[in-house]
Amino acid sequence: MLWKKDIDVAAWVTRFTVGEDYKWDTLLLPYDITGTLAHAAGLVSIGLLTPEELTQIQATLADMGVEIEAGNIVVRQEDEDCHTVIESYLTEKLGDIGKKIHTGRSRNDQVLTALRLFMRDQLAVIVAQLVEVTNACCALGDTYADAVMPGYTHYQRAMPSTPALWALGYAELLLSDMTALQHAHSQINTSPLGSAAGYGVPFLKLPRAYTAEQLGFESVQTNVTAVQLSRGKLEMHAMHALVQVGATFNRMASDLILFNTAEFGFVTLPAAMCTGSSIMPQKKNPDVLELVRANYHRLMAEMQLLLTLPANLPSGYHRDLQLTKESIMRGLLLTQDLVQAMAQVVPALQFSTENMKKATTQELFATSHALEKVLNGVPFRDAYRAAAAELADRQDDDAHNLAAQYQVVGYPGQTDPMPVRKALEHHKTWLLDQAKTTR
């Protein structure tokens, strides 16, 4: 029997129930301070704290913030959570004033307030990072607009492409990913503060709209039962957007790993993003890109937790939901690492125009030959067969003629980074708006 072993049961229970939550709560300390300051201002507005007491709380928490920034205050396992650390600090410094700070709050709405503030900031950071990567893709579009390379389907050479088209295709996906992140930001930007343990607070007329405005939230979850019902669900909005980012970079990394092989030789990766072998002196391994590719699956695993963990739980709070916090925080920080990796890799990519040109063989232009016949009145299916039969005998240097063969913007030889750059302005404006709102 577990309980018959020679073990301190209370210590074991603390370790098991707290888990690694205290480590994540250390990251939430500054956000919990922000939420506490707004809550304290709300208590002043309903006469439960005096303006003078608020001033003391503000000064004390400012000092605490400095200590946190210096690394002198962290959440320990025995503290259990960041809320305890803050309340204990205020009580130690201010006595009875500190004891008042939890009035009208539960750790349930307190942690969600801090977590949503954290999520809001981190989503904006990721959007800013993606703007950087998208700009780098546009720069590749400028540099390699006329450089031909094979395009592939089923791992077989299919039709001509260009590095510019490759890069701008990913840039367009990243624009979509940024939109998804901004939508998730809007979904989670609603205030849970004042819902307490999920059923409101008797007697106290907490100014929920006021504290939401103080914290820059766009709205309030009015019916307080919605707060715990949305736990894990709102995090899912954010995680789904993070998975979209991971999916884009998973395929970009796969392309670059393949293009970097000696068999392809299309691209040279930055040396700083590669590692060596412990036994093979010649090796230059694309480890960073391989981990970018692999960590998409870790994001998927976190999304699976958020999808399934709240399922079948009755309404109200359950300790099961504690795990959703770690999941979304881990996902946010991991995604930042993935984007940062690509922000280092993409600007430093060097495509080999010579190797790509060698690989751009005549079969890539079979569709072009068929459609050229169509323009001369041959039915497509007849042109298709004729082009296939003539392929071995053609010697034309079609690779120099992409701009003549393709007439539509966004086709090989007809790329233009400007539409992507214009679309990026919307995302830059959004970032500026968020900075103003949350300042």
Side-chain angles (χ1 to χ4, degrees), residues 35-169:
T36 297
L37 288 169
H39 179 67
L43 293 180
V44 171
S45 74
I46 60 173
L48 292 180
L49 283 176
T50 67
E52 293 75 22
E53 288 173 328
L54 175 61
T55 299
Q56 292 182 67
I57 289 170
Q58 290 169 332
T60 304
L61 289 179
D63 292 341
M64 187 181 189
V66 173
E67 291 293 303
I68 292 169
E69 183 72 24
N72 298 329
I73 296 177
V74 296
V75 183
R76 302 164 300 173
Q77 190 174 63
E78 57 267 32
D79 295 321
E80 190 173 359
D81 55 42
C82 55
H83 325 307
T84 302
V85 172
I86 292 173
E87 185 172 343
S88 298
Y89 187 89
L90 285 172
T91 302
E92 178 187 346
K93 301 294 184 182
L94 300 177
D96 286 347
I97 297 175
K99 295 177 183 178
K100 296 180 181 181
I101 199 63
H102 202 60
T103 305
R105 279 199 304 187
S106 164
R107 289 188 297 179
N108 289 315
D109 64 338
Q110 192 174 352
V111 68
L112 286 180
T113 300
L115 180 60
R116 289 180 191 177
L117 294 174
F118 175 85
M119 291 168 64
R120 196 172 67 183
D121 274 7
Q122 303 314 309
L123 288 169
V125 166
I126 294 168
V127 172
Q129 290 177 309
L130 288 177
V131 167
E132 184 180 344
V133 180
T134 307
N135 272 325
C137 288
C138 289
L140 290 174
D142 290 328
T143 303
Y144 295 103
D146 299 322
V148 69
M149 69 185 290
Y152 295 84
T153 65
H154 306 278
Y155 281 101
Q156 305 297 313
R157 293 176 186 172
M159 293 180 72
S161 183
T162 66
L165 186 59
W166 175 86
L168 292 174

Side-chain angles (χ1 to χ4, degrees), residues 29-321:
L29 272 170
Y31 297 93
D32 203 16
I33 285 177
T34 299
T36 297
L37 288 169
H39 179 67
L43 293 180
V44 171
S45 74
I46 60 173
L48 292 180
L49 283 176
T50 67
E52 293 75 22
E53 288 173 328
L54 175 61
T55 299
Q56 292 182 67
I57 289 170
Q58 290 169 332
T60 304
L61 289 179
D63 292 341
M64 187 181 189
V66 173
E67 291 293 303
I68 292 169
E69 183 72 24
N72 298 329
I73 296 177
V74 296
V75 183
R76 302 164 300 173
Q77 190 174 63
E78 57 267 32
D79 295 321
E80 190 173 359
D81 55 42
C82 55
H83 325 307
T84 302
V85 172
I86 292 173
E87 185 172 343
S88 298
Y89 187 89
L90 285 172
T91 302
E92 178 187 346
K93 301 294 184 182
L94 300 177
D96 286 347
I97 297 175
K99 295 177 183 178
K100 296 180 181 181
I101 199 63
H102 202 60
T103 305
R105 279 199 304 187
S106 164
R107 289 188 297 179
N108 289 315
D109 64 338
Q110 192 174 352
V111 68
L112 286 180
T113 300
L115 180 60
R116 289 180 191 177
L117 294 174
F118 175 85
M119 291 168 64
R120 196 172 67 183
D121 274 7
Q122 303 314 309
L123 288 169
V125 166
I126 294 168
V127 172
Q129 290 177 309
L130 288 177
V131 167
E132 184 180 344
V133 180
T134 307
N135 272 325
C137 288
C138 289
L140 290 174
D142 290 328
T143 303
Y144 295 103
D146 299 322
V148 69
M149 69 185 290
Y152 295 84
T153 65
H154 306 278
Y155 281 101
Q156 305 297 313
R157 293 176 186 172
M159 293 180 72
S161 183
T162 66
L165 186 59
W166 175 86
L168 292 174
Y170 279 111
E172 200 164 327
L173 283 189
L174 292 174
L175 291 174
S176 176
D177 294 341
M178 282 183 264
T179 299
L181 290 165
Q182 290 163 26
H183 177 71
H185 185 284
S186 178
Q187 289 291 308
I188 61 100
N189 201 17
T190 183
S191 178
L193 194 57
S195 62
Y199 298 97
V201 181
F203 297 112
L204 305 185
K205 194 174 181 179
L206 293 175
R208 300 191 66 209
Y210 170 74
T211 53
E213 183 181 359
Q214 293 292 302
L215 294 167
F217 284 120
E218 293 176 354
S219 61
V220 175
Q221 288 183 284
T222 304
N223 296 293
V224 290
T225 48
V227 173
Q228 295 306 320
L229 286 170
S230 65
R231 193 162 184 180
K233 190 176 178 69
L234 290 186
E235 287 83 351
M236 251 300 301
H237 280 286
M239 186 61 74
H240 188 267
L242 301 179
V243 165
Q244 295 303 312
V245 175
T248 299
F249 285 142
N250 171 276
R251 296 195 69 176
M252 180 185 272
S254 293
D255 278 347
L256 291 173
I257 291 165
L258 187 66
F259 294 165
N260 178 243
T261 60
E263 287 73 17
F264 277 74
F266 291 175
V267 72
T268 300
L269 303 177
M273 296 292 108
C274 299
T275 65
S277 164
S278 64
I279 189 172
M280 296 171 283
Q282 83 283 6
K283 289 301 296 296
K284 184 179 174 184
N285 301 321
D287 288 47
V288 169
L289 286 172
E290 288 174 344
L291 288 172
V292 168
R293 181 173 61 184
N295 272 300
Y296 166 66
H297 302 283
R298 177 162 285 176
L299 289 174
M300 286 287 289
E302 300 297 351
M303 186 170 74
Q304 187 68 17
L305 182 144
L306 290 171
L307 276 169
T308 58
L309 187 144
N312 301 322
L313 291 179
S315 59
Y317 175 73
H318 307 273
R319 193 64 179 262
D320 312 51
L321 296 169

